[in-house]
Amino acid sequence: MAEAHQAVAFQFTVTPEGIDVRLSHQALTEIYLSGVRSWKKRLIRLKNSVITGVYPASPSSWLFVVIAILATMYTRSDPSMGLIAKIQEHLPVSQSMSSQCQALLSAVLFSTMLWLLLIFTMRLCLKQLLSYHRWIFEQHGKMSNTTKVWVALVRIFSGRKPLLYSYQGSLPNLPVPAIKDTVKRYLESVRSLMDDTQYERMTNLAAEFESSLGNRLQWYLKLKALWAANYVSDWWEEYVYLRGRSPIMVNSNYYGMDFLYVTPTPIQAARAGNSIHAFFLYRRKLNREEIKPSRIPGTVIPLCAAQCERIFSTTRTPGEETDSVQHWQDSDYVAVYHRGRYFRLWVYQAGRLLSPREIEFQIQRILDDPAPPAKGEAKLGALTAGDRIPWAKARAEYFSSGVNKRSLDCIEKAAFFVTLDDDEQGMMGDDPAASLDCYAKSLLHGKCYDRWFDKSFSVVYYKNGKNGINAEHSWADAPVLSHLWEYTLATDCFQLGYNAEGHCKGEVDSSLPRPQKLNWEIAPECEEQISQSLAVAQALADDVDFHVFAFRDFGKGKVKKCRVSPDAFIQMALQLAYYRDRRTFCLTYESSMTRLFREGRTETVRSCSNESCAFVQALEGGETEELRLFRSASEKHQLLYRMAMTGGGIDRHLFCLYVVSKYLGVESPFLKEVLSEPWRLSTSQTAVQQMELFDMVNHPEYVSCGGGFGPVADDGYGVAYSVLGEDVINFHISCKHSCPDTDAHKFGAQIRKALHDLLQLLSPYQKEPTRTEKTRPEVKKDL
């Protein structure tokens, strides 16, 4: 335990001769340097808080205003129209201060108040400008004069170098739609899914709700919208995520994959060394607000960055009625799982971030550690994979004190969680397609006990150098984590790189203290609960059917040449594929973000519209109007997507009305029926947000396969897709084996066929490429 003694700065021993005091100079030096780093971080955060607080002005503009006011005073003019004199009369100063000093102080106070008023005015103007959304409904490439003037004003009021959180105080609040508009759009969205009798009944329920209870509930929502930054987000996090009592594994958590065709190094510890270092580089940028504010691609319009605050050092804590999200100040370590053991791995020493080579050295120490897991430790993580109530009770009873609490705190307060997996994953072997399916299932649930599903995110490193990420959903949505993941993958390969042997670059300080193995005292009753949670989680994991494939026959390049939105094209293909698979239509969920508004999260685009159903039926019936109907359906989809982005969606408004009704203790047959409708087709696009990090022309093999999620309905499909470059579309399809009507592979085949059929419809004389989806072998690249 020599390494443990190095961490003790002060020791003393009582002897007959007196007290023998011993000081560890190395430990004292490390404590001093760590303190210096901590104070530097505080000063940086204070500086950023000041810069963000006065945005869109700058702190230096205060000096300009003061000098301008003083200059006008010396010209014997009074820009304050007597206010400076009034301030001077009421200054609580001593008689010893000269009248000239009093006048100077009064002028500075007036200048400061004028400066603050200007800041408030500029921020209010920027907020009003960002509330303008007509630009999003204009035809692509045809910008109106009003929008051109608006863009120029946004640029002027945005300043030159905004920090990550600079726009937060200027973003508009999410508006509450009118009841009649929401009800009208809802009825329109379900018309094609109901027969005449069902639709008439729903219309009557909607009319009764709109004329009676709806207005009362709407009043409460408007009151909340005036008081809260966002009338949806806190209830959405609470009731959709945190109050769920079923397992979050599969049902809520989602995953992201590594590069599809490239493994940068086959050495597990080296891959972990580079990417863990990259994660902490990103955190440093995050803390310093050096990350540029996210914007709508191709525009100057900022997106809310509130979700970025909880990326690191965050965990979901179980409760019997509801869970909670806890966030701590930055941790200097990660929690690591390997072969049933848990470790604390410090990534800072004496205030310095360890190099990738040093982190690799520490990871290799964990891999080589022969110590067996403690009794009950090996499958402890299953508690986070099972039902939430048993985990909450076990946590309160067995992990609220002593060694178990200290070890659990270490995991929950870690920057993030790391799993060193003994399996090999990726596109490999004689059946690369099947290996991708296995890879997806491993990232989604693993062995059900070798991930910590409560952490904001867990990173998995496989034996062959592949990696991936599993994320808890309540604290943020996928685009926020995707931004981090893209940065990490690019930094790992294109900036840090590996040497000729596949190890991280740099030297190693072999005197680094070994990673600390966490200790546990697991009672037999707790072991029984772990086994029960594992059984629940394993049954859920075994039921998941997954199919992942890269569609390379064509991509958005050809689709855009047909003057169609790629997203609308894919959504129409999904509608066609589902109809061919089930011979019916279903309520379809497509996720859209609402981060144009403060603390915005998501809204639902109901992709199954009257227009899309008419098109599919015409195409399947061999009618001659299918091309016109396709154009109409794709334009309707674009309209629905834009309305969802700009606060005109249906589902979040209805959800919040339902929550208010529950608080008031009143029943609404209309809302109850709306909220109980199943989403049998749940879809989401994972867009690459930082294309500048990847060279798709010179290095097309460095393409991620995106990520996916589990099925939302027991008898439905979950479909995630990512459009990469001009020629690749990746699909992640999930469903359940227990449903006889769903099959992920069959649905994938229907999607392929639908994509080809739609392209043929749009460009009947265009030859399709002859290349197939047969995957290229994995290659190792050293950069």
Side-chain angles (χ1 to χ4, degrees), residues 196-314:
D196 292 342
T197 303
Q198 292 172 326
Y199 184 72
E200 183 180 0
R201 174 178 170 274
M202 184 56 75
T203 301
N204 293 333
L205 288 176
E208 181 184 355
F209 170 76
E210 183 181 346
S211 62
S212 56
L213 181 60
N215 291 325
R216 180 184 173 196
L217 302 180
Q218 180 80 345
W219 185 86
Y220 282 97
L221 273 193
K222 288 183 176 180
L223 184 63
K224 184 186 179 186
L226 290 173
W227 176 256
N230 191 295
Y231 80 93
V232 175
S233 294
D234 57 340
W235 284 351
W236 186 253
E237 179 178 306
E238 174 74 15
Y239 294 104
V240 172
Y241 293 117
L242 298 179
R243 290 215 174 218
R245 302 293 81 197
S246 59
I248 60 175
M249 182 198 78
V250 174
N251 294 324
S252 178
N253 285 30
Y254 57 94
Y255 67 87
M257 282 186 169
D258 193 6
F259 294 118
L260 186 58
Y261 300 111
V262 172
T263 302
T265 175
I267 302 175
Q268 184 179 21
R271 192 72 195 281
N274 258 9
S275 61
I276 290 175
H277 184 85
F279 276 119
F280 279 90
L281 290 180
Y282 187 91
R283 191 181 76 170
R284 179 186 295 169
K285 286 177 172 288
L286 192 69
N287 290 340
R288 296 177 178 178
E289 296 191 43
E290 294 173 351
I291 297 170
K292 294 179 180 179
S294 296
R295 302 177 188 271
I296 297 288
T299 75
V300 296
I301 312 306
L303 301 177
C304 180
Q307 297 178 47
C308 297
E309 297 173 351
R310 300 190 292 184
I311 294 178
F312 295 95
S313 305
T314 298

Side-chain angles (χ1 to χ4, degrees), residues 14-36:
V14 178
T15 66
E17 289 78 20
I19 299 177
D20 179 20
V21 178
R22 288 172 291 166
L23 296 175
S24 170
H25 294 287
Q26 178 184 353
L28 286 175
T29 301
E30 291 189 6
I31 290 172
Y32 168 75
L33 293 174
S34 295
V36 169

